[in-house]
Amino acid sequence: MLIWYCFAVLCFQQGFSFKIVNKTPYAITNIRLYEYDMHIALSPNEASAVKTLSLSPEKAEGSSVLMLFAENTNYGIYIENPQSGKKYTYVIDSIQPKRNNIFISTIIEEQK
Amino acid sequence: MLFYKKLLKSIPLVAVVVFLYQGNSQSIRKNYQEMTTYEKTELVNAFYQLREGEDRITDMSDFHMNYFNFDNIDPNRLDIHFNLPEEPEKEIFLAWHRRFIFEMEQAMQDINPKLTIPYWESSVDQSTTSSLWDEDFMGSFNSNWNLNRNLSSFGTLPTQQEVDNMLAMTDFFEFSDFFERQRPHSGAHRWVAGPMLTSASPRDPVFYLHHAFVDKLWHDWEEMHHSSSYVRTDMIRYDGTYVFDGQTIPLVNPNDIVDSRALGVFYAEDGLATLDNYIVSNTYNPEELFYYQYTIEVGNNFIAPENTTSKMESITEVVLKPGFFAESGANFVAAIDTETTSLLAARSMVKKERKKKPFDDVQLDQVWLWSEGDIDPNDPTVVMQTFPNPFDSKITIKLNKKRDCVIEIYNMTGQLIKQEFFEFTNTLEINNLFGLSSGTYFVKVLGGNGETLVVKKVIKI
Ligand SMILES: [Cu+2]
């Protein structure tokens, strides 16, 4: 049991880090990613602190959805599945409140 | 037939309803690759039309976005995504999307009753140059609706193995949770990108084709496991209060639609649509039309009751099998669509090869001799007319009075070619006669006790 547990943690859990950058002219609140509530508000051009998580591949795939609230609208967007050892910067490039559009880009770097 | 009839009469109606579904619309959903050119053109036109005027596309997309998920704002609020495994009491993902694409399908059928929402089998059909993305199919929406799709750039589509493993899962909520979060559902959302990546995904018409596939897989799972069950008994948008274009959308209990037949929905695959365990009701459409260019097989407790109107229409064949009932007073027609064939569909129609042809099983050993005549010597009141005679692909048989009967068609050497059962009716249409070679055949009408009523010679041209 113990051996299996260690094996599972070492081989299947993936550690990765991420942060979120707000490039829009709007304030963004209620940010939730990987079922993790960030409990921050990002003003225009503000970036969050870096957060490190460790998730099983299945959990990572199944929870790679970014939710956020801006201009009285709740936005949800699927994001890339994170991989172990990588650092992800999710840049919220723009929000078009009248058209319910949200555009994000992802910068992926090797974790140092 | 007698057995079924006795069975029906001996079981109280309530008991029958338990395993038969009374649908309120109708549709044979097919892989979009099995649509005729006519169906494809009409589907594309319908999407464009639904974006105009009251704009149901935007209304549905906005609703999906506004109620996508509230976990980042108020975890107790009802939403449509990501409730499992922690909140089974809020879970409605599969049922909600089933009802949602059905709403779109009904709107389309108001435009053209032959339309159904086809499915995109994303575990197999994975090329960015697939005909799915042709300019005259899903392709044109990309520029016309500013979708900015980015095919194949984010994430990957599911493998067949993943789908098969998922269908083998036994617990409904575990199945639903895996389905929603992993590639069988989320794969296509990421892979198509544009709005499909976001909670406004129903703005892209391919959303409905993707979710028809999701719905088909749930249907396949439920046919295997029979254990879909929700804690909730209501669903947002389908709670009896939502109004679109002056019409209140009815209330739906998710548990009432765990079998897709409850909505009159059947899924065809590889050239075959099997329609079973269903009662025609005309609740939604004055005529229930089941349309598929390949083989439609109707049987196994498919019932067209009195005072209902239904039609099976194929370009290839409609096969009526034991367990099919057209009750007295039912207006039921099985027909070959020659109109569409001769129009747009003719260009796209390729006959689907099936492993078994309808007449492969006929034995060649018995020789029969017939006395001919339109009148049954034992009951001069039974008069049969067959027309047209000579016939090509279809014969209509009219009896002068309604009765239970069996129609058998034999060739000159006495081989039984075809047998169909009818309950208390006097107009019998037999289609699906393409497979017969030219020549002389005998149509035999047997009564409810198996006695021969009348025999008539007919010529196939
Ligand atoms: Cu959805």
Side-chain angles (χ1 to χ4, degrees):
Chain A
M1 181 65 191
L2 188 65
I3 290 165
W4 165 246
Y5 175 76
C6 296
F7 179 74
V9 168
L10 290 173
C11 296
F12 294 118
Q13 295 284 90
Q14 31 188 328
F16 62 94
S17 59
F18 66 94
K19 68 174 177 179
I20 295 166
V21 180
N22 177 12
K23 285 273 180 70
T24 76
Y26 310 107
I28 292 174
T29 61
N30 301 80
I31 302 168
R32 183 178 162 94
L33 182 57
Y34 307 117
E35 303 190 345
Y36 172 78
D37 286 313
M38 308 270 289
H39 297 295
I40 49 160
L42 292 179
S43 307
N45 290 312
E46 193 180 352
S48 75
V50 176
K51 165 87 185 160
T52 302
L53 278 182
S54 195
L55 298 173
S56 69
E58 189 171 298
K59 181 79 179 169
E61 163 117 36
S63 62
S64 295
V65 176
L66 171 66
M67 299 295 307
L68 57 88
F69 190 79
E71 292 293 290
N72 278 317
T73 305
N74 204 24
Y75 292 88
I77 184 162
Y78 287 98
I79 52 163
E80 213 144 323
N81 298 323
Q83 284 173 5
S84 196
K86 300 255 164 94
K87 182 184 164 195
Y88 294 84
T89 304
Y90 301 111
V91 183
I92 301 151
D93 292 317
S94 77
I95 282 168
Q96 298 171 331
K98 281 197 185 119
R99 309 183 64 187
N100 283 349
N101 279 337
I102 177 166
F103 298 96
I104 68 164
S105 52
T106 308
I107 300 163
I108 307 170
E109 299 160 286
E110 292 300 321
Q111 225 166 4
K112 280 158 212 152
Chain B
M1 183 191 70
L2 279 178
F3 169 74
Y4 281 106
K5 194 178 169 192
K6 276 182 189 140
L7 187 73
L8 267 182
K9 286 203 169 135
S10 63
I11 300 173
L13 189 63
V14 176
V16 174
V17 170
V18 171
F19 59 89
L20 299 180
Y21 280 88
Q22 188 124 12
N24 63 1
S25 182
Q26 71 297 304
S27 85
I28 294 176
R29 294 194 188 146
K30 60 221 70 167
N31 189 315
Y32 74 88
Q33 295 169 342
E34 293 191 339
M35 298 168 87
T36 61
T37 305
Y38 168 82
E39 285 176 288
K40 282 185 170 180
T41 306
E42 288 292 290
L43 181 83
V44 168
N45 289 343
F47 273 124
Y48 279 113
Q49 197 173 326
L50 288 165
R51 182 78 192 269
E52 286 160 14
E54 291 301 314
D55 192 352
R56 194 185 283 266
I57 302 262
T58 298
D59 182 80
M60 290 176 72
S61 169
D62 286 352
F63 191 97
H64 185 271
M65 177 164 175
N66 293 336
Y67 293 88
F68 183 74
N69 180 270
F70 286 119
D71 289 346
N72 63 325
I73 293 176
D74 175 3
N76 295 320
R77 229 178 128 174
L78 292 178
D79 54 32
I80 54 183
H81 277 279
F82 308 121
N83 288 308
L84 291 173
E86 274 92 13
E87 306 162 305
E89 70 287 351
K90 283 173 64 190
E91 173 58 23
I92 51 169
F93 169 68
L94 287 170
W96 192 86
H97 287 78
R98 168 167 287 174
R99 187 59 186 75
F100 192 66
I101 59 172
F102 180 69
E103 178 183 339
M104 178 54 70
E105 188 171 74
Q106 284 186 317
M108 287 186 156
Q109 290 182 349
D110 287 342
I111 295 171
N112 181 340
K114 271 187 181 156
L115 283 176
T116 63
I117 296 184
Y119 60 85
W120 165 32
E121 193 171 5
S122 62
S123 54
V124 173
D125 188 351
Q126 304 192 333
S127 166
T128 57
T129 57
S130 158
S131 60
L132 179 63
W133 309 108
D134 282 356
E135 199 54 24
D136 56 7
F137 197 47
M138 291 296 110
S140 71
F141 297 101
N142 193 42
S143 51
N144 290 341
W145 290 3
N146 298 312
L147 299 177
N148 291 307
R149 292 173 185 144
N150 196 352
L151 304 184
S152 190
S153 294
F154 305 99
T156 45
L157 295 169
T159 64
Q160 191 57 48
Q161 189 60 52
E162 256 169 33
V163 169
D164 291 345
N165 292 346
M166 179 181 86
L167 292 176
M169 295 171 82
T170 52
D171 181 87
F172 175 59
F173 278 156
E174 279 173 26
F175 161 75
S176 179
D177 186 44
F178 182 92
F179 199 166
E180 178 181 11
R181 292 177 182 274
Q182 307 297 321
R183 292 194 298 182
H185 164 248
S186 70
H189 281 283
R190 288 197 175 92
W191 190 89
V192 174
M196 278 288 276
L197 259 185
T198 77
S199 50
S201 46
R203 193 186 296 169
D204 186 334
V206 88
F207 170 94
Y208 301 93
L209 279 70
H210 170 52
H211 268 277
F213 181 55
V214 169
D215 195 70
K216 176 189 179 292
L217 292 180
W218 180 25
H219 166 83
D220 292 345
W221 187 88
E222 177 62 16
E223 290 287 287
M224 265 185 273
H225 302 280
H226 298 288
S227 56
S228 301
S229 171
Y230 288 98
V231 178
R232 283 211 79 73
T233 55
D234 61 346
M235 302 196 286
I236 43 179
R237 189 175 179 97
Y238 307 107
D239 59 2
T241 67
Y242 193 81
V243 178
F244 174 76
D245 195 12
Q247 299 230 308
T248 305
I249 299 180
L251 178 130
V252 179
N253 178 339
N255 289 297
D256 290 344
I257 56 169
V258 296
D259 190 314
S260 58
R261 293 174 187 83
L263 298 172
V265 170
F266 294 86
Y267 283 99
E269 198 166 6
D270 300 330
L272 178 66
T274 305
L275 310 190
D276 58 6
N277 298 314
Y278 180 76
I279 305 174
V280 174
S281 68
N282 298 125
T283 308
Y284 178 69
N285 276 354
E287 175 184 70
E288 295 202 9
L289 171 61
F290 294 89
Y291 185 86
Y292 184 42
Q293 71 161 318
Y294 302 115
T295 301
I296 303 175
E297 273 188 9
V298 193
N300 191 17
N301 293 316
F302 188 106
I303 298 178
E306 189 176 7
N307 299 323
T308 61
T309 301
S310 52
K311 185 174 185 180
M312 307 286 148
E313 198 169 13
S314 165
I315 292 178
T316 318
E317 60 178 352
V318 179
V319 182
L320 303 179
K321 301 185 74 176
F324 162 73
F325 298 101
E327 286 177 355
S328 163
N331 181 0
F332 173 85
V333 176
I336 297 296
D337 175 12
T338 48
E339 201 180 316
T340 306
T341 318
S342 59
L343 296 171
L344 280 162
R347 281 182 278 132
S348 73
M349 204 190 124
V350 183
K351 176 102 167 88
K352 201 96 179 165
E353 273 307 311
R354 293 179 59 212
K355 285 190 192 85
K356 231 177 186 188
K357 301 234 164 50
F359 304 113
D360 278 357
D361 290 333
V362 173
Q363 298 297 312
L364 288 164
D365 45 17
Q366 220 180 346
V367 177
W368 291 56
L369 286 175
W370 295 103
S371 59
E372 285 182 43
D374 284 350
I375 296 169
D376 171 15
N378 301 319
D379 180 358
T381 61
V382 178
V383 177
M384 172 169 70
Q385 294 175 287
T386 57
F387 54 87
N389 192 11
F391 69 95
D392 179 14
S393 61
K394 160 178 151 178
I395 303 181
T396 302
I397 298 157
K398 271 203 180 297
L399 303 177
N400 68 325
K401 67 177 191 187
K402 287 183 177 174
R403 52 171 62 246
D404 297 340
C405 59
V406 179
I407 301 287
E408 295 179 342
I409 299 180
Y410 294 85
N411 67 11
M412 280 293 277
T413 58
Q415 301 156 22
L416 177 61
I417 304 282
K418 204 159 176 39
Q419 187 182 45
E420 286 180 12
F421 302 85
F422 296 86
E423 183 169 343
F424 199 63
T425 184
N426 61 359
T427 303
L428 320 158
E429 270 196 42
I430 301 185
N431 289 292
N432 171 33
L433 298 171
F434 284 115
L436 298 182
S437 50
S438 307
T440 303
Y441 293 87
F442 295 102
V443 175
K444 184 179 182 184
V445 181
L446 298 100
N449 297 315
E451 75 283 14
T452 300
L453 297 179
V454 65
V455 180
K456 177 152 180 154
K457 189 165 79 178
V458 290
I459 311 288
K460 155 92 175 170
I461 45 173

